[in-house]
């Protein structure tokens, strides 16, 4: 099962933010996402684990920008595979 995660927010200045999913202090996911010219950022990614109990953190350099998050949504994604012979 994969989790689709969408995070949006706004910050002042900079080129990118880092989005982290944490289990206590253990980093379970981290990736960098660009900041648009208007200061907004949008992160869309798939997480291949259980998201329950994890915390979201947004960093810009060494600064914690988690308060900049406007929306954070996660949804379970189900994948359907069809197996069969073709002739």
């Amino acid at each position: 099962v994969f989790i689709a995660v969408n995070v949006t927010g706004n910050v002042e200045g900079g080129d990118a933010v880092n989005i982290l999913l944490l289990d206590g202090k253990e980093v379970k996911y981290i990736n960098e996402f660009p900041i648009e010219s208007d200061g907004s950022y949008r992160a869309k990614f798939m997480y291949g684990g259980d998201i329950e109990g994890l915390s979201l953190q947004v960093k810009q350099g060494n600064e914690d920008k988690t308060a900049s998050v406007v929306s954070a949504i996660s949804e379970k994604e189900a994948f359907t595979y069809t197996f069969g012979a073709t002739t």
Side-chain angles (χ1 to χ4, degrees):
V1 174
F2 284 88
I3 307 294
V5 181
N6 270 314
V7 180
T8 59
N10 293 293
V11 293
E12 292 185 23
D15 295 326
V17 293
N18 289 306
I19 305 290
L20 298 89
L21 293 177
L22 303 170
D23 185 1
K25 292 188 176 191
E26 183 182 356
V27 176
K28 295 293 193 174
Y29 174 89
I30 184 170
N31 207 345
E32 185 175 274
F33 294 90
I35 298 170
E36 301 297 327
S37 60
D38 65 356
S40 66
Y41 59 86
R42 173 167 287 148
K44 293 182 180 184
F45 58 93
M46 299 295 284
Y47 179 71
D50 186 7
I51 201 166
E52 194 164 325
L54 300 183
S55 60
L56 173 72
Q57 187 175 51
V58 178
K59 303 269 295 186
Q60 189 179 24
N62 290 327
E63 292 183 52
D64 185 347
K65 297 290 186 172
T66 307
S68 71
V69 174
V70 174
S71 172
I73 300 169
S74 64
E75 297 178 25
K76 285 187 179 181
E77 292 287 319
F79 295 96
T80 304
Y81 295 98
T82 303
F83 297 97
T86 58
T87 56

